[in-house]
Amino acid sequence: MATLFTSRPSTASLALAAVVLVVALTAGAADAQRLSPNFYSKTCPNLATIVRQGMASAVATEKRMGASILRMFFHDCFVNGCDGSILLDDTSSFTGEKGAGPNANSVRGFEVIDAIKTKVEASCKATVSCADILALAARDGVNLLGGPNWSVPLGRKDSRTASQSLANSNLPGPGSSLATLISMFGNQGLSARDMTALSGAHTIGRAQCQFFRTRIYTESNVNASFAQLRQQTCPRSGGDSNLAPFDVQTPDGFDNAYYQNLILFSGGSQDALVRQYSTNAARFSADFVSAMIKMGNLMPSSGTPTEVRLNCRKVN
């Protein structure tokens, strides 16, 4: 089963005029209980509009960016929770996640988050975390490409560190079996149904040939005509960075076509659900939203130092 982490949906600084005080908070289970769509209703009432406008501009320039930001959010949340750690550049004290195997030369769109953060800071200084901006931007990217809309619980804090080693170990690889995928999602508190729904994110964006070559040449549980189509631009050797959509009909539209193009019947536990999603767009959409909210509630481990970053690329 192809995984949303290793396909490449084809996916940031700030200058501050004054010194501001940001109180670092320790994140943990209690933070998850405080997340609320109304978290910034009084402190930054224009937040949703600012993020939406930033994403609308980015997607208008390049539709693929909606998928890139969505993927960035996935990769952030799977490494010690949704804490904006993926946005941090390397420092002398830690090696960030941008250079991890699943992210290097693949995760993209950091400049989009930077631009949105700059506008948010201008409106609400030292108030909104980069982690929350990324969560909102991922939702807006989906919706701007025709997907569902939903209320995003807010109130996350930004981690003051990052872990390349965790990024390498926590993100599923392109050759992961169904059992491995279910296990790795389970480690994050996500069910097999969540995993199958979130995999539908492949309906937008593009993937690099190197990440799906094995699937289209050696596996029998991939739609034969779809495999032949992808083989036209993904040879058995070479062309590793060639891009192609998993969704042939609507590569820039968020819908259930991924399940129709890449139906994965192998006698596995998710066959019936994949079949259901392929014919019931509403069911897929509802389950996707549920899984996104559930994944978005993943918090950093207890004791992780956090803050509201002023620049998403570096700690305060």
Side-chain angles (χ1 to χ4, degrees):
M1 184 173 195
T3 170
L4 55 89
F5 293 95
T6 50
S7 70
R8 181 182 174 186
S10 315
T11 283
S13 227
L14 298 178
L16 292 173
V19 176
V20 295
L21 176 64
V22 178
V23 179
L25 299 175
T26 299
D31 274 353
Q33 297 173 359
R34 288 197 294 268
L35 294 183
S36 166
N38 300 316
F39 189 84
Y40 300 106
S41 60
K42 294 182 179 180
T43 57
C44 195
N46 295 324
L47 173 62
T49 299
I50 295 171
V51 176
R52 180 75 175 194
Q53 290 175 343
M55 282 303 297
S57 176
V59 171
T61 300
E62 182 189 19
K63 289 185 181 297
R64 178 178 157 211
M65 190 54 69
S68 296
I69 298 300
L70 175 59
R71 183 171 185 252
M72 187 190 297
F73 182 56
F74 289 144
H75 282 221
D76 184 42
C77 292
F78 261 61
V79 182
N80 200 33
C82 310
D83 60 357
S85 58
I86 195 172
L87 303 170
L88 288 170
D89 290 336
D90 294 350
T91 72
S92 58
S93 60
F94 65 80
T95 302
E97 298 162 22
K98 292 180 179 178
N103 297 334
N105 302 311
S106 178
V107 172
R108 57 197 295 274
F110 297 106
E111 72 285 353
V112 173
I113 301 302
D114 281 346
I116 294 173
K117 175 64 169 175
T118 298
K119 292 181 178 179
V120 170
E121 284 296 309
S123 179
C124 322
K125 190 180 295 292
T127 300
V128 182
S129 67
C130 297
D132 275 343
I133 289 174
L134 180 54
L136 285 168
R139 184 275 310 275
D140 287 342
V142 168
N143 184 241
L144 286 164
L145 292 176
N149 199 359
W150 65 93
S151 294
V152 178
L154 301 169
R156 301 168 186 80
K157 295 297 184 289
D158 298 319
S159 173
R160 290 179 52 82
T161 188
S163 175
Q164 186 173 111
S165 61
L166 281 180
N168 282 321
S169 63
N170 285 15
L171 297 170
S176 297
S177 67
L178 177 59
T180 297
L181 289 172
I182 291 174
S183 175
M184 295 187 79
F185 275 70
N187 290 340
Q188 302 293 339
L190 299 169
S191 68
R193 189 181 189 97
D194 295 329
M195 181 273 294
T196 303
L198 289 172
S199 293
H202 282 127
T203 189
I204 51 176
R206 305 293 187 274
Q208 290 185 24
C209 170
Q210 62 180 315
F211 294 136
F212 61 83
R213 177 184 286 118
T214 299
R215 303 288 189 185
I216 61 175
Y217 281 104
T218 65
E219 298 189 8
S220 59
N221 61 346
V222 176
N223 181 285
S225 60
F226 175 74
Q228 292 172 0
L229 178 64
R230 290 284 68 87
Q231 289 169 10
Q232 293 176 13
T233 55
C234 183
R236 287 183 179 274
S237 62
D240 285 359
S241 61
N242 291 354
L243 296 174
F246 279 137
D247 180 341
V248 178
Q249 291 96 333
T250 56
D252 294 316
F254 193 96
D255 52 30
N256 65 333
Y258 165 74
Y259 298 100
Q260 299 166 3
N261 293 328
L262 203 66
I263 289 182
L264 308 166
F265 294 133
S266 57
S269 61
Q270 300 308 293
D271 284 4
L273 186 57
V274 169
R275 188 181 293 107
Q276 183 180 7
Y277 287 163
S278 73
T279 59
N280 190 332
R283 181 69 273 161
F284 160 59
S285 181
D287 282 1
F288 180 83
V289 167
S290 176
M292 282 291 290
I293 293 173
K294 189 174 178 181
M295 183 181 72
N297 285 338
L298 295 175
M299 292 291 109
S301 56
S302 179
T304 299
T306 61
E307 63 187 4
V308 173
R309 256 180 252 146
L310 306 180
N311 180 332
C312 293
R313 291 178 180 262
K314 63 183 183 180
V315 299
N316 297 337

